[in-house]
Amino acid sequence: MDSQNPCEGEISLNQWKGGNSVREVRHGSRGGDLEMLGLSQKEIGDDDARLVYLNEPVKSNERYEFSGNSIRTSKYSAFSFLPRNLFRQFHRVAYIYFLIIAVLNQLPQLAVFGRGASIMPLAFVLSVTAVKDAYEDWRRHRSDRVENNRLAWVLVDDQFQQKKWKDIQVGEIIRIQTNETLPCDMVLLSTSEPTGVAYVQTVNLDGESNLKTRYAKQETLPRIPEKEMINGLIKCERPNRNIYGFQANMEIEGKRLSLGPSNILLRGCELKNTAWAIGVAVYCGRETKAMLNSSGASSKRSQLETLMNFETIILSVFLIVLCSIVSICAAVWLRRRRDELDILPFYRRKDFAHGDPKDFNYYGWGLEIFFTFLMSVIVFQIMIPISLYISMELVRVGQAYFMIRDMILYDEDSNSRFQCRSLNINEDLGQIKYVFSDKTGTLTENKMEFQRASIWGVDYSDGRTSSQNDPVQGSKIDGKILQPKMKVKVDPQLLELSRRGKDTKGAKNVHDFFLALAACNTIVPLVVDDRLDSTVKLLDYQGESPDEQALAYAAAAYGFMLTERTSGHIIISIQGERQRFNVLGLHEFDSDRKRMSVILGCPDKTVKVFVKGADTSMFSVIDRSLNTNIIHATEAHLQTYSSMGLRTLVIGIRELNNSEFEQWHLEFEAASTAIIGRAALLRKVASNVENSLTILGASAIEDKLQQGVPEAIESLRTAGIKVWVLTGDKQETAISIGYSSKLLTSKMTSIIINSNSKESSRKSLEDALVASKKLMIVSGTTHNTGPSDEAAVNPVALIIDGTSLVYILDSELEEQLFELASRCSVVLCCRVAPLQKAGIVSLVKNRTRDMTLSIGDGANDVSMIQMADVGVGISGREGQQAVMASDFAMGQFRFLVPLLLVHGHWNYQRMGYMILYNFYRNAVFVLILFWYVLFTSFSLTTAITEWSSMLYSIIYTALPTIVVGILDKDLSRRTLLKYPQLYGAGHRREAYNSKLFWLTMIDTLWQSVAVFFIPLYAYWASTIDGSSIGDLWTLAVVILVNLHLAMDIIRWSWISHAVIWGSIIATFICVIIIDSVPIFAGYWAIFHVAKTELFWLCLLAIVAAALIPRFVVKFLYQYYSPCDIQIAREAEKFGSPRESPNTKIETNPILGSPHG
């Protein structure tokens, strides 16, 4: 909630009772923590502040040239695109490697391939990425151009003229019309409202659609810039990212006025329900808070890609070994034949063509060996698969497309599709071990419904919905009936009491209770038409907190309808009678006090303080010497409400006499205009007036669980995923929600840690560790199970509060907490602050290799979302900040199940296989070249043409692996959801690990032997030339790797058939074209060799010899030692898995039996 403006000037209680003063809403002590991001704790001096002279942009920019209002979100310009884009791309070490290879091939001594052909693969990859980046940046340029050329009304020569946004300067006065967007951050000077209030919508800034109030100072409110010169000086803090805080002073007409968050309008906000507003620009362009917050979340890298780098290093070592073997063998060969080098065919050192013999390009034994090594690197370069990187990018785009188009992830209530905001970590969704979840708005709907009330010790809980035809009596506006937009359950007895006025003690307490609910808030009431009934007007309560809205609607249902709010008063229709209450002061909620209060001047000339807040903070300021029985009864009711999972607030009241009001007023004036420690002073003033309260009662609001949450949590836990809930709610409420969501079960042993010091936290952790170890020992002894089974036998739940975490996090106790938490099936953290949420995620992330995921819906979840390996934002009712900071976004928590168990599983399995396949595909080709070098005197000549070598990874074999990486499905969606345990394959890294890598390399070695030696011995005694047998090897290896891929495809589609068989056909066509060009080596070779039967027999023999061993091993492994996925696949195909003691689908240890 946003703070409101403090009133200026002096006033006494007697003056107010005269009824002639119009009072402004007081600005309370909200946001102390946030203001620390600015300069709220120290005086703003000339050295650490910016000086803004009103209506004097030249003077304002004289000392410092402030940023202009032009913005730029693009990364490149026309001149900088090429160098900067190449610089960004060459951050990938593999690209630098291929650049070095291409450069080496340009040297005459090392020119193995044609110079153009050697550059082609790297140029292709760089070009594709550059085109994509250029298109994205062009869109940014176009958006920037539209934004910068928008028009605003700026005061120039004492009249408002239209000016482009990009030309606005700090110090200029700007006029904004209703529904217009603000071009810069500006301090509000005046508005069309006589009270100086302006309503703004910040949906473009933080995603919140509810209206917020901003206020102009009384000293600037009556001034009309066109007619009266406005001069003054604003001294404000330097630009910062804190959109909720602003610290400044304004000097005007010899007065120094304090400015706060309620006095500034931010760029990107829209003016609503206000005809016009005038302000002075203080931050422009890239210095505005919106632009400072526009930087995206830090780039994340998938765990699979990180592991892949290790195997890439192994392949690099293998490449060096191959090159070293060739170099050493070449050195031995040259040494043994040093006397024959002058006359040896293919290696004549002397040129005898022209009289005196001259040396060819022979550089001596040492340099020849060195050049041989470098030439080997060039020939074997595709051992490091450059195409893999771009293939992974394309596959991730395809996977994201299908996730976005998945209608199961579409939320009808919010009309929101799944969003894939980060393409780098799709496969990480298949390896999540820990889920950290917010509660309110994530597990629950964040649709607050008033359920119960305890008023003066009486529990009113037999609710029923008020009739549609029974409007709140007597409420009319413009001759039309006024009704609240939202219906609320009402208790008949309580409704009757609320209509009695103040004739009895009980009725008076009910009156004050609902008056507190209607007044103690920052709700903005808007009157809208009823589409169904033209005789009815509806009151739409706009508030920043769903709790406030629920309480305001509840008060309206009982006849206390807030109908109007200005900066100085509110109007409440009490049982049809409009009553005006002057708002003398407002102390908004802050995280230190955990309560808010409003000081009202009532129609009977009394001054009352209404306070609402959390029970822990309220009972400390309630006068417990009065009405002891009422307090005890209310505490009992609160316990009952909390155990039901309801959110509770305690309501109190205090009447101020003349001296108390005067004392508060003086203290408040001094605090609100202070320039040193303003927030702390305002908190102190609020605490002084919020004491010796008389309890009125307590409210209970239900925040219902989202649809499917219990089933989702059970599925996640069955899948072996640990779910931790981190919430700011009180412990009892969190525990109740834990049971209703099936996070907690009756079989669990709960360990609760509530400590208020470091020593007590240490002792609690030690005791909890001892208890958990005893449970493990008992479980192991009783059931004769290993450690991995203890959680299934006797699961443990850890419940810890934020106060304990204050002493545990960032201390030596962290290790003990992690050890304890790792033994628990469930961890529930209550009353935690946003940074503590991030600390809990960091606790696990930094101490384990397991993947973490955070999910939340509010601004308080941003730090937690950004800390986790994967961040998921819920498109909820608390704005879009969580979504904007996330990697993925969706509408409901239950969508996490298909996202992880289905799409996550598919993405991980596909990407893991694709990486291994790319390693195999390139390595088998390199080994064929290597075998050939061994049979050609280590001269590094190649039978396979240079163009085929270059096109191998780009055209011949690239497309099938991309299509399979996007479309193949090892299991159906239904099976994956029915057996969540199958998700454990990602935890065990079954799709990609070192064992699979080495098995793949062994298979690769065998296949390369089959491809090379079968044609070699078949044509050993023939006169076939190198180009002809090279074409045979080219076609054989392409057919082989595509059939290898075809053996592993589970779900065939017409696209799969098209790309696999199409790639083989395309290879034949390319080879024919290359051999048809007279200037290329091997002219017409394919036509000579392909007309013989031996050619086709060799192709058949190669495929059979290379793939039959792999087929046999695969069959034996799947038959005698099948994995869970193989068993489930058989169950899909044949209806039930094979009867075998080894074919039971593995159950996660967290639960005792599989849940189907």
Side-chain angles (χ1 to χ4, degrees):
M1 293 178 289
D2 288 287
S3 306
Q4 300 187 7
N5 195 46
C7 58
E8 293 84 6
E10 298 292 330
I11 185 171
S12 66
L13 181 61
N14 293 327
Q15 285 176 317
W16 173 79
K17 287 184 177 180
N20 297 322
S21 300
V22 177
R23 304 296 298 154
E24 264 194 290
V25 179
R26 294 278 181 167
H27 171 22
S29 58
R30 185 246 186 229
D33 295 333
L34 292 172
E35 284 190 343
M36 290 180 68
L37 297 175
L39 302 173
S40 57
Q41 299 302 318
K42 62 179 180 180
E43 182 175 359
I44 301 177
D46 291 347
D47 294 335
D48 53 12
R50 69 165 48 196
L51 305 179
V52 180
Y53 294 90
L54 275 64
N55 201 24
E56 296 185 78
V58 177
K59 189 175 181 181
S60 296
N61 289 270
E62 191 173 52
R63 181 180 176 187
Y64 301 108
E65 187 174 347
F66 298 129
S67 173
N69 203 42
S70 175
I71 65 165
R72 178 182 171 185
T73 59
S74 58
K75 297 179 181 179
Y76 312 104
S77 67
F79 298 103
S80 68
F81 174 77
L82 191 58
R84 291 191 65 186
N85 185 261
L86 289 176
F87 178 77
R88 287 174 181 270
Q89 291 200 58
F90 278 108
H91 274 70
R92 277 183 166 163
V93 179
Y95 288 9
I96 298 176
Y97 162 77
F98 282 99
L99 177 63
I100 294 173
I101 296 295
V103 171
L104 289 176
N105 197 72
Q106 306 306 306
L107 301 177
Q109 299 87 346
L110 306 175
V112 178
F113 300 132
R115 296 179 180 180
S118 64
I119 296 175
M120 185 178 170
L122 179 61
F124 175 77
V125 173
L126 293 176
S127 299
V128 170
T129 306
V131 169
K132 176 182 72 72
D133 292 344
Y135 174 70
E136 291 178 351
D137 209 57
W138 174 78
R139 293 179 61 186
R140 294 190 195 100
H141 273 286
R142 185 178 59 179
S143 176
D144 292 346
R145 189 163 51 250
V146 171
E147 186 81 357
N148 290 328
N149 289 323
R150 296 173 71 174
L151 298 176
W153 293 96
V154 180
L155 187 65
V156 179
D157 299 330
D158 298 330
Q159 60 179 354
F160 284 102
Q161 301 177 9
Q162 283 195 324
K163 197 173 185 180
K164 291 182 178 179
W165 278 23
K166 65 181 180 181
D167 298 325
I168 294 174
Q169 293 179 287
V170 171
E172 288 188 316
I173 292 179
I174 305 165
R175 180 186 179 116
I176 305 298
Q177 307 291 340
T178 186
N179 295 326
E180 287 186 349
T181 303
L182 274 75
C184 59
D185 295 352
M186 47 190 263
V187 168
L188 192 59
L189 297 177
S190 61
T191 73
S192 58
E193 299 293 321
T195 55
V197 66
Y199 300 104
V200 293
Q201 190 176 62
T202 61
V203 66
N204 292 331
L205 193 63
D206 59 11
E208 297 181 9
S209 58
N210 293 323
L211 296 185
K212 300 175 177 61
T213 52
R214 297 293 184 265
Y215 298 91
K217 287 292 183 180
Q218 293 292 331
E219 285 77 2
T220 62
L221 182 59
R223 294 173 179 267
I224 302 175
E226 301 101 309
K227 299 179 181 180
E228 183 179 358
M229 178 67 70
I230 297 180
N231 291 316
L233 171 65
I234 294 177
K235 188 185 293 184
C236 59
E237 61 190 350
R238 291 176 180 174
N240 60 72
R241 299 175 60 186
N242 181 15
I243 63 175
Y244 300 110
F246 178 64
Q247 175 83 0
N249 296 309
M250 179 164 60
E251 297 176 5
I252 187 167
E253 294 183 343
K255 294 183 179 179
R256 172 176 270 188
L257 309 174
S258 173
L259 300 176
S262 64
N263 308 119
I264 188 171
L265 304 175
L266 303 182
R267 179 182 179 126
C269 299
E270 291 185 15
L271 189 68
K272 296 288 186 181
N273 293 10
T274 308
W276 53 264
I278 294 175
V280 58
V282 290
Y283 305 123
C284 288
R286 64 176 181 272
E287 295 179 342
T288 58
K289 294 180 181 291
M291 292 303 297
L292 291 173
N293 280 277
S294 65
S295 59
S298 58
S299 178
K300 296 180 179 179
R301 196 176 190 183
S302 76
Q303 189 180 65
L304 205 59
E305 189 171 347
T306 303
L307 295 173
M308 182 190 79
N309 286 339
F310 179 72
E311 271 72 37
T312 304
I313 294 172
I314 293 176
L315 290 177
S316 302
V317 173
F318 187 48
L319 173 63
I320 293 172
V321 170
L322 293 182
C323 296
S324 300
I325 292 173
V326 173
S327 301
I328 294 170
C329 291
V332 174
W333 189 90
L334 286 172
R335 179 62 65 184
R336 286 182 176 178
R337 290 167 175 79
R338 60 182 177 272
D339 298 329
E340 306 172 38
L341 295 179
D342 291 344
I343 58 173
L344 272 178
F346 308 109
Y347 211 106
R348 281 191 316 188
R349 187 168 53 183
K350 298 291 185 180
D351 181 4
F352 296 95
H354 304 287
D356 295 334
K358 297 179 181 179
D359 283 353
F360 278 114
N361 294 328
Y362 184 78
Y363 301 96
W365 186 73
L367 281 177
E368 286 291 326
I369 296 171
F370 178 67
F371 288 156
T372 300
F373 182 88
L374 294 181
M375 291 166 68
S376 303
V377 174
I378 296 173
V379 172
F380 304 149
Q381 59 179 288
I382 65 168
M383 177 66 78
I384 311 299
I386 187 174
S387 60
L388 175 58
Y389 292 98
I390 195 163
S391 297
M392 290 175 70
E393 297 293 336
L394 294 175
V395 166
R396 285 165 175 162
V397 170
Q399 291 173 348
Y401 172 81
F402 284 106
M403 287 192 289
I404 293 169
R405 300 291 297 176
D406 190 350
M407 293 306 296
I408 291 183
L409 301 179
Y410 170 74
D411 182 32
E412 293 184 1
D413 294 339
S414 61
N415 191 28
S416 60
R417 286 186 178 275
F418 177 81
Q419 298 179 43
C420 187
R421 300 173 57 84
S422 175
L423 292 177
N424 297 330
I425 55 176
N426 291 355
E427 56 269 25
D428 282 349
L429 293 172
Q431 297 178 276
I432 301 299
K433 184 66 176 178
Y434 289 88
V435 169
F436 301 92
S437 174
D438 176 41
K439 184 187 76 68
T440 305
T442 303
L443 299 180
T444 61
E445 293 181 348
N446 207 14
K447 294 180 180 178
M448 309 301 179
E449 293 184 11
F450 184 86
Q451 293 292 339
R452 295 189 171 199
S454 170
I455 305 176
W456 205 246
V458 179
D459 179 20
Y460 299 96
S461 56
D462 295 327
R464 62 176 182 177
T465 306
S466 57
S467 170
Q468 179 76 22
N469 300 319
D470 184 24
V472 179
Q473 40 181 308
S475 303
K476 289 189 177 182
I477 183 170
D478 297 331
K480 295 185 178 181
I481 300 174
L482 194 62
Q483 293 184 2
K485 186 177 180 179
M486 184 182 296
K487 295 297 178 183
V488 177
K489 293 180 181 180
V490 295
D491 182 87
Q493 180 185 358
L494 185 56
L495 183 62
E496 181 63 28
L497 277 174
S498 67
R499 292 175 173 173
R500 289 185 184 177
K502 304 180 184 180
D503 55 356
T504 65
K505 177 68 171 175
K508 182 180 183 304
N509 291 324
V510 170
H511 177 279
D512 289 341
F513 179 85
F514 285 114
L515 180 58
L517 297 189
C520 193
N521 54 58
T522 56
I523 291 290
V524 178
L526 298 180
V527 179
V528 297
D529 293 326
D530 188 344
R531 296 180 181 178
L532 302 178
D533 190 348
S534 60
T535 64
V536 174
K537 289 279 189 180
L538 298 179
L539 266 178
D540 183 8
Y541 287 149
Q542 294 283 318
E544 298 176 40
S545 164
D547 299 76
E548 280 197 343
Q549 290 174 299
L551 293 176
Y553 280 120
Y558 284 97
F560 293 74
M561 190 183 304
L562 176 65
T563 60
E564 181 181 327
R565 179 184 294 278
T566 70
S567 60
H569 70 271
I570 56 175
I571 293 179
I572 301 176
S573 174
I574 301 179
Q575 306 302 338
E577 179 185 351
R578 288 168 57 89
Q579 296 187 23
R580 172 181 171 131
F581 296 83
N582 286 321
V583 181
L584 305 176
L586 183 68
H587 294 281
E588 293 198 35
F589 179 89
D590 67 61
S591 57
D592 292 328
R593 291 165 35 248
K594 293 185 174 60
R595 53 182 183 268
M596 74 169 295
S597 59
V598 61
I599 294 90
L600 291 185
C602 302
D604 60 2
K605 306 304 180 186
T606 60
V607 176
K608 294 179 180 177
V609 181
F610 293 93
V611 187
K612 69 177 182 184
D615 54 353
T616 53
S617 67
M618 286 295 291
F619 282 117
S620 63
V621 295
I622 285 176
D623 189 349
R624 301 185 74 93
S625 63
L626 302 174
N627 310 309
T628 305
N629 293 336
I630 304 299
I631 293 174
H632 290 328
T634 305
E635 288 177 328
H637 294 155
L638 285 169
Q639 187 69 27
T640 302
Y641 298 161
S642 296
S643 64
M644 297 169 60
L646 303 178
R647 298 163 63 91
T648 59
L649 286 174
V650 175
I651 314 298
I653 188 176
R654 175 187 176 190
E655 185 171 337
L656 299 180
N657 56 35
N658 285 6
S659 62
E660 290 171 337
F661 174 79
E662 291 288 351
Q663 181 181 359
W664 167 82
H665 176 260
L666 292 174
E667 291 176 354
F668 188 81
E669 285 295 324
S672 61
T673 56
I675 56 177
I676 301 175
R678 183 192 303 177
L681 290 173
L682 286 170
R683 279 197 297 271
K684 183 178 179 182
V685 173
S687 299
N688 289 339
V689 76
E690 296 167 351
N691 60 51
S692 303
L693 302 178
T694 299
I695 192 169
L696 287 175
S699 63
I701 300 172
E702 181 181 15
D703 186 7
K704 292 184 177 179
L705 281 176
Q706 290 182 11
Q707 178 185 348
V709 166
E711 295 80 3
I713 289 178
E714 187 172 12
S715 292
L716 292 175
R717 293 181 56 231
T718 306
I721 300 172
K722 292 188 175 184
V723 182
W724 294 19
V725 174
L726 317 177
T727 177
D729 280 345
K730 62 185 299 183
Q731 187 169 291
E732 293 80 6
T733 303
I735 291 175
S736 176
I737 293 293
Y739 279 109
S740 60
S741 65
K742 294 187 179 179
L743 181 72
L744 302 175
T745 66
S746 57
K747 296 181 180 179
M748 289 184 179
T749 302
S750 296
I751 296 176
I752 299 177
I753 298 179
N754 295 325
S755 304
N756 53 14
S757 69
K758 189 169 184 177
E759 286 306 315
S760 61
S761 298
R762 187 192 307 276
K763 187 175 188 309
S764 298
L765 285 173
E766 291 172 353
D767 294 343
L769 280 169
V770 171
S772 65
K773 289 176 181 177
K774 286 182 178 178
L775 288 171
M776 289 179 62
I777 294 172
V778 170
S779 303
T781 304
T782 305
H783 302 273
N784 194 24
T785 61
S788 61
D789 297 321
E790 46 79 25
V793 176
N794 200 343
V796 179
L798 172 63
I799 302 168
I800 187 169
D801 66 351
T803 305
S804 302
L805 291 174
V806 168
Y807 303 105
I808 295 173
L809 295 179
D810 297 324
S811 73
E812 69 278 6
L813 300 181
E814 274 192 346
E815 290 294 339
Q816 290 177 275
L817 176 61
F818 175 73
E819 183 183 353
L820 174 62
S822 61
R823 299 175 185 272
C824 299
S825 303
V826 174
V827 177
L828 183 60
C829 301
C830 318
R831 297 291 198 192
V832 289
L835 285 179
Q836 287 180 320
K837 292 183 177 182
I840 291 293
V841 177
S842 176
L843 179 77
V844 174
K845 183 180 176 182
N846 295 336
R847 288 171 173 79
T848 177
R849 295 178 62 191
D850 295 326
M851 299 294 294
T852 59
L853 179 147
S854 291
I855 180 170
D857 72 317
N860 61 330
D861 302 317
V862 168
S863 57
M864 172 179 75
I865 287 172
Q866 292 181 334
M867 177 62 68
D869 295 303
V870 178
V872 178
I874 296 290
S875 304
R877 294 173 171 264
E878 293 189 20
Q880 297 294 307
Q881 284 186 300
V883 170
M884 291 187 288
S886 67
D887 304 303
F888 305 95
M890 53 192 185
Q892 297 280 327
F893 179 86
R894 70 177 186 274
F895 296 159
L896 202 58
V897 173
L899 177 63
L900 298 185
L901 272 56
V902 179
H903 289 288
H905 174 86
W906 284 342
N907 293 345
Y908 169 70
Q909 295 289 331
R910 295 162 176 165
M911 191 64 76
Y913 177 80
M914 192 189 80
I915 293 172
L916 289 172
Y917 176 78
N918 273 267
F919 286 158
Y920 148 76
R921 182 192 67 186
N922 284 29
V924 73
F925 190 83
V926 168
L927 286 171
I928 293 170
L929 299 176
F930 174 73
W931 301 131
Y932 184 78
V933 168
L934 298 184
F935 281 85
T936 54
S937 301
F938 321 105
S939 59
L940 291 167
T941 56
T942 58
I944 298 175
T945 65
E946 61 188 38
W947 285 105
S948 288
S949 297
M950 295 301 116
L951 295 176
Y952 177 75
S953 298
I954 299 175
I955 294 179
Y956 296 173
T957 59
L959 202 54
T961 181
I962 294 174
V963 170
V964 170
I966 296 173
L967 298 180
D968 196 29
K969 300 175 182 178
D970 60 344
L971 291 167
S972 68
R973 179 193 301 268
R974 180 177 176 274
T975 299
L976 291 171
L977 293 176
K978 184 178 181 181
Y979 300 105
Q981 303 95 323
L982 294 169
Y983 187 78
H987 296 155
R988 296 185 292 272
R989 300 180 181 174
E990 290 183 359
Y992 186 86
N993 53 58
S994 296
K995 179 182 177 182
L996 279 177
F997 173 78
W998 288 112
L999 288 175
T1000 301
M1001 289 300 103
I1002 293 172
D1003 187 27
T1004 301
L1005 182 64
W1006 163 251
Q1007 292 190 27
S1008 71
V1009 169
V1011 172
F1012 179 80
F1013 286 98
I1014 289 176
L1016 180 69
Y1017 290 117
Y1019 287 98
W1020 186 263
S1022 72
T1023 58
I1024 189 172
D1025 63 352
S1027 297
S1028 297
I1029 198 170
D1031 288 341
L1032 173 56
W1033 281 326
T1034 300
L1035 294 171
V1037 73
V1038 171
I1039 294 171
L1040 176 64
V1041 297
N1042 279 287
L1043 290 179
H1044 178 112
L1045 180 64
M1047 285 178 60
D1048 294 330
I1049 293 179
I1050 308 301
R1051 303 292 168 102
W1052 281 90
S1053 66
W1054 70 266
I1055 301 178
S1056 305
H1057 282 288
V1059 295
I1060 288 183
W1061 313 124
S1063 293
I1064 296 174
I1065 294 171
T1067 303
F1068 272 92
I1069 294 173
C1070 287
V1071 169
I1072 291 171
I1073 292 174
I1074 292 170
D1075 283 1
S1076 301
V1077 179
I1079 62 173
F1080 290 164
Y1083 175 63
W1084 221 248
I1086 185 64
F1087 299 100
H1088 291 303
V1089 72
K1091 63 184 180 182
T1092 65
E1093 294 180 359
L1094 185 59
F1095 173 86
W1096 301 103
L1097 286 174
C1098 282
L1099 285 180
L1100 183 61
I1102 287 169
V1103 172
L1107 293 182
I1108 286 177
R1110 182 172 187 273
F1111 177 80
V1112 171
V1113 171
K1114 189 175 180 180
F1115 170 79
L1116 293 175
Y1117 176 76
Q1118 292 183 355
Y1119 189 84
Y1120 290 104
S1121 183
C1123 63
D1124 296 347
I1125 293 175
Q1126 177 62 26
I1127 298 169
R1129 195 181 301 150
E1130 290 187 20
E1132 274 188 353
K1133 187 173 182 180
F1134 302 111
S1136 61
R1138 288 179 278 116
E1139 294 298 329
S1140 170
N1142 297 321
T1143 59
K1144 181 181 178 182
I1145 294 180
E1146 183 173 324
T1147 303
N1148 190 273
I1150 292 179
L1151 297 179
S1153 59
H1155 293 264

